[in-house]
Amino acid sequence: MTEERGGKGSLAGGGKPRRWLVTGSGGMLGCDLVAALGGSSDGVTALSRKELDVTDEVAVAAALADSRPDVVVNCAAWTAVDDAESHEDEALAVNGAGAANVAAAIAAGSAAPGCRLVHLSTDYVFAGDAAAPYAEDDAPAPRSAYGRTKLAGEQAVRELLPQAGYVVRTAWLYGAHGPNFVATMIRLERERPTVDVVADQRGQPTWTADVARQVIALARSEAPAGVYHATSSGVATWFDLAREVFLLLGADPDRVRATTTDAFPRPAPRPAYSVLGHDAWSAVGLQPIGDWRLSLRSAFPALVQELP
Ligand SMILES: NC(=O)c1ccc[n+]([C@@H]2O[C@H](COP(=O)([O-])OP(=O)(O)OC[C@H]3O[C@@H](n4cnc5c(N)ncnc54)[C@H](OP(=O)(O)O)[C@@H]3O)[C@@H](O)[C@H]2O)c1
């Protein structure tokens, strides 16, 4: 999908961003970001994987030179966490080298002067064994191939664009435009009398539309380059989230039964504690995303409607 809507100008002129380029625009977050930008007068170039493969260095530079964006949001990613264990080189090509290609093209001046890059990353860069929320500047220690490749992308963005590179880590995403845990639970509620869900992993269920709003607010702000955590507040287990989905469907939440991570062996290790701190937002005068239950309630009608 390629979309073009009006809007010209650049951050170099001291104004707000007027032209955006979104890579990976066909993904779950990319779709919501393009939709959120569509409501503004800004120009949006939305490039799905078919239209721009971020592993193609020449194509990336050409796409930026063509649309001269003030902001690039890199939503392109290899997100198959388990497959990355056996295909780490391919995942690294997208998550590491792909991110570097985008950052390098901006650093080389292919985009508008002063162009910023917002690059999406993940809680999987952390070890996931903490007992308190991970701060933005805590030391990463990924335990999976996916986490290692995403960390490589973060490092490339920060090295190549120290003044204009924004790393936005998110986690436990659900949305109307891609496979996700909430959609799976809505389906399973219809299909099964009971569902077993792990109750020993903690995180922050996060709506893609909330992340899209955070990304836009960040790129429009005067916030300095660096790392920001775009997850809901509050903490839940997958079991808590599944029960909340059943409640919102009007179903008996006791049909969700607690189980353990060990009962569901997966190729990639799952973090037991994936809770991210949000201090960087308030330090730059922006509100973090609110409580996960409130967001789920707002998102729910659209999520149910999207399912067959
Ligand atoms: N989903 C989550 O729970 C979660 C959690 C933490 C962080 N994140 C991060 O959030 C961001 C957005 O994730 P998402 O959930 O929207 O993922 P998604 O739905 O898988 O979207 C990623 C998009 O990138 C595209 N893509 C893959 N390889 C590409 C390439 N070489 N060039 C250009 N595009 C390519 C994919 O296209 P195809 O579908 O055609 O392959 C897909 O449309 C990613 O950076 C991800 O790491 C996600």
Side-chain angles (χ1 to χ4, degrees):
M1 168 181 64
T2 306
E3 287 192 23
E4 282 279 3
R5 294 192 182 87
K8 277 206 167 90
S10 91
L11 290 181
K16 301 287 184 197
R18 302 292 291 156
R19 294 200 67 83
W20 299 68
L21 186 147
V22 180
T23 66
S25 66
M28 188 163 65
L29 176 60
C31 282
D32 277 357
L33 180 66
V34 172
L37 286 167
S40 75
S41 58
D42 295 358
V44 185
T45 300
L47 300 175
S48 69
R49 179 188 192 149
K50 268 193 208 143
E51 291 152 331
L52 177 63
D53 180 341
V54 294
T55 66
D56 183 339
E57 188 184 347
V58 174
V60 169
L64 267 59
D66 194 36
S67 67
R68 304 284 289 169
D70 304 304
V71 180
V72 176
V73 186
N74 185 29
C75 295
W78 175 298
T79 55
V81 171
D82 288 324
D83 288 349
E85 293 297 316
S86 49
H87 298 87
E88 188 161 351
D89 287 351
E90 289 112 299
L92 186 62
V94 183
N95 295 345
N101 287 341
V102 178
I106 294 170
S110 296
C115 178
R116 294 167 168 192
L117 171 60
V118 182
H119 173 70
L120 274 300
S121 193
T122 171
D123 56 308
Y124 275 69
V125 298
F126 292 119
D129 58 358
Y134 285 100
E136 291 82 351
D137 59 357
D138 278 352
R143 294 212 169 149
S144 62
Y146 171 70
R148 287 190 290 275
T149 64
K150 292 296 291 184
L151 180 59
E154 288 192 4
Q155 288 166 338
V157 167
R158 297 197 67 195
E159 276 166 30
L160 289 161
L161 294 171
Q163 307 301 326
Y166 296 76
V167 169
V168 174
R169 295 187 186 125
T170 189
W172 286 40
L173 286 183
Y174 61 85
H177 305 289
N180 63 82
F181 179 86
V182 172
T184 302
M185 287 304 122
I186 294 171
R187 180 173 55 76
L188 291 181
E189 189 281 327
R190 293 176 190 163
E191 293 175 359
R192 295 191 193 168
T194 60
V195 187
D196 291 345
V197 180
V198 296
D200 56 358
Q201 295 171 26
R202 285 179 169 68
Q204 296 155 314
T206 301
W207 184 20
T208 42
D210 282 338
V211 179
R213 272 189 289 274
Q214 288 302 108
V215 164
I216 294 169
L218 183 63
R220 286 182 175 154
S221 77
E222 304 296 322
V227 178
Y228 295 83
H229 286 168
T231 50
S232 296
S233 59
V235 178
T237 65
W238 294 113
F239 171 72
D240 297 330
L241 178 56
R243 282 178 63 90
E244 194 69 16
V245 169
F246 273 53
L247 274 172
L248 290 171
L249 289 169
D252 179 2
D254 290 340
R255 287 170 52 207
V256 180
R257 300 184 313 190
T259 185
T260 62
T261 304
D262 290 346
F264 280 99
R266 306 284 280 273
R270 295 305 195 261
Y273 186 85
S274 255
V275 181
L276 304 183
H278 302 127
D279 287 354
W281 297 110
S282 34
V284 298
L286 295 172
Q287 290 288 322
I289 299 171
D291 181 75
W292 71 268
R293 279 193 170 88
L294 292 178
S295 287
L296 183 63
R297 236 160 268 169
S298 304
F300 212 68
L303 301 179
V304 173
Q305 204 178 357
E306 281 303 313
L307 289 179

